[in-house]
Amino acid sequence: MNQPRIGVVGATGYAGVELIRILSRHPLLKITYLAAQKLEQSETYGHKISAFRQFGELPALEPFDLERCLDLCDLVFLALPSGISGRLALQIHHAGKKVIDLSGDLRLPKEVYESWYGLASPLTQKDTHAVYGLSDWQAEQIANQSLISNPGCYATAALLSLLPLCQTKLVESQSVWVVDAKSGSTGAGKSPQPHLLLSELSNNFYPYRVGCHQHTPEIEQKLQEESKQADLQIQLTTQLLPIPRGILVSAYIPLCSTISFTDLYEIYQNAYHDTPFVSILPCGEWPQIQSVLGANTCHIALHVDNRTQMLQIFAVIDNLQKGAAGQAVQNMNLMLGWPMETGLSLIGSAP
């Protein structure tokens, strides 16, 4: 049986490099095309990305060419910035190829996207709807699909934390769900920016995009869909940690009825019993970013504060793995009918 031919467009960004790291160890496929937008001529991938210098089994890195991409690939990952990625993803998909887009371009309706991203949406009325690739929550909807919109990193951690509540009557219907989210600097991408310089970020910690982070409507859209509450809102605050990778989400949810930790733990265990990648921690154990670095995993902890009638939820992921490349490969596995864990790590690399 011929192995599927896989391409990565945006192969030099942080998510693209992580994709190639995972795909190069995947036993069921062949990487046949690597491309970058800002490249004038072809060169060996190990010359461009030194971590691969001694790995000679990859094709050359090329300037992106649509016809060559279509000729060499059966499935293509797009890991380009929002505003560019979605347009190319749709072109490749319209040509009959399977596509996974890691940008935000295909996650939201046209009007919502343009309002929150400040960019023109690539979607038209004729475009095929991309399936939202939250693979640990809706594996069946992703299986055998041809166009997947990979979730955002903050959205992944927040939704895996909150979605099991949508199937209960524990939360006050008119309440705003508070989501406090902290990320390492790779979540901002590879483009040089003054606030990401070592001198600026080291020994520093601060909020950014307060009240206007583009993952807000993405999280709300999925929560509203699952809860059947069209007015459900979150208050998302994003903050930048002085570390390269990793996300910690802390959510604060007002409860309308009491529940024991044991019963709540059972709800979450049942929600994720079909995936090996989400771990619900025992009572009194709290998640740590270093436990998930390099792994396609999410660790979730729960605390019911009976004094304040608040539920506290804590979750950690690696923003480049579960928050980007790892989840994208998990989606690919589901699209191609393979076990979702194929080629992916359950073990973090810490310390």
Side-chain angles (χ1 to χ4, degrees), residues 68-301:
R68 186 160 169 79
C69 177
L70 296 176
D71 186 53
L72 291 175
C73 302
D74 301 309
L75 184 148
V76 181
F77 293 92
L78 274 295
L80 295 167
S82 295
I84 301 172
S85 198
R87 175 177 53 82
L88 295 180
L90 291 173
Q91 289 179 343
I92 295 168
H93 181 254
H94 289 161
K97 303 299 181 179
K98 294 180 183 293
V99 177
I100 300 172
D101 179 32
L102 277 73
S103 80
D105 287 351
L106 307 181
R107 297 174 191 156
L108 298 167
K110 179 180 176 67
E111 297 78 9
V112 178
Y113 172 87
E114 292 179 348
S115 173
W116 283 84
Y117 279 77
L119 300 168
S121 171
L123 294 173
T124 68
Q125 296 298 324
K126 297 180 180 179
D127 285 321
T128 303
H129 175 66
V131 174
Y132 189 62
L134 192 66
S135 43
D136 295 300
W137 185 257
Q138 51 187 45
E140 291 183 0
Q141 291 95 313
I142 295 164
N144 302 314
Q145 295 294 326
S146 60
L147 179 62
I148 299 295
S149 180
N150 215 58
C153 52
Y154 284 126
T156 295
L159 287 171
L160 292 178
S161 302
L162 299 172
L163 280 170
L165 295 176
C166 294
Q167 301 176 336
T168 73
K169 296 181 179 180
L170 293 170
V171 184
E172 295 179 4
S173 59
Q174 301 301 315
S175 63
V176 175
W177 298 13
V178 175
V179 179
D180 178 288
K182 304 171 179 69
S183 175
S185 61
T186 52
K190 205 170 184 178
S191 298
Q193 301 176 60
H195 71 282
L196 299 178
L197 294 171
L198 178 63
S199 299
E200 300 293 333
L201 191 56
S202 182
N203 298 321
N204 205 356
F205 174 45
Y206 54 87
Y208 70 101
R209 296 192 66 80
V210 175
C212 61
H213 196 282
Q214 65 272 19
H215 289 181
T216 301
E218 180 183 345
I219 298 167
E220 289 183 343
Q221 174 177 261
K222 190 61 181 172
L223 291 175
Q224 290 166 1
E225 175 188 325
E226 295 291 333
S227 68
K228 306 296 190 294
Q229 295 182 39
D231 57 349
L232 194 158
Q233 291 184 308
I234 66 164
Q235 184 69 59
L236 174 65
T237 303
T238 53
Q239 296 143 83
L240 191 61
L241 291 168
I243 60 176
R245 57 201 287 173
I247 285 178
L248 167 65
V249 161
S250 305
Y252 306 92
I253 315 297
L255 298 174
C256 61
S257 60
T258 59
I259 186 172
S260 68
F261 174 86
T262 301
D263 290 342
L264 185 63
Y265 182 84
E266 184 177 358
I267 289 170
Y268 273 73
Q269 285 283 72
N270 289 339
Y272 295 116
H273 72 278
D274 286 334
T275 174
F277 295 114
V278 180
S279 178
I280 313 302
L281 302 184
C283 184
E285 187 174 331
W286 311 113
Q288 302 181 44
I289 285 176
Q290 68 173 3
S291 300
V292 298
L293 293 180
N296 187 51
T297 53
C298 176
H299 293 180
I300 297 174

Side-chain angles (χ1 to χ4, degrees), residues 339-351:
M340 71 167 72
E341 65 271 21
T342 308
L344 292 164
S345 177
L346 292 164
I347 304 170
S349 60

Side-chain angles (χ1 to χ4, degrees), residues 20-21 23-24 31 34 44-46 52 55-61:
I20 296 162
R21 190 192 316 277
L23 293 170
S24 64
I31 302 173
L34 300 178
T44 60
Y45 192 68
F52 291 84
F55 187 77
E57 300 176 19
L58 293 173
L61 178 67

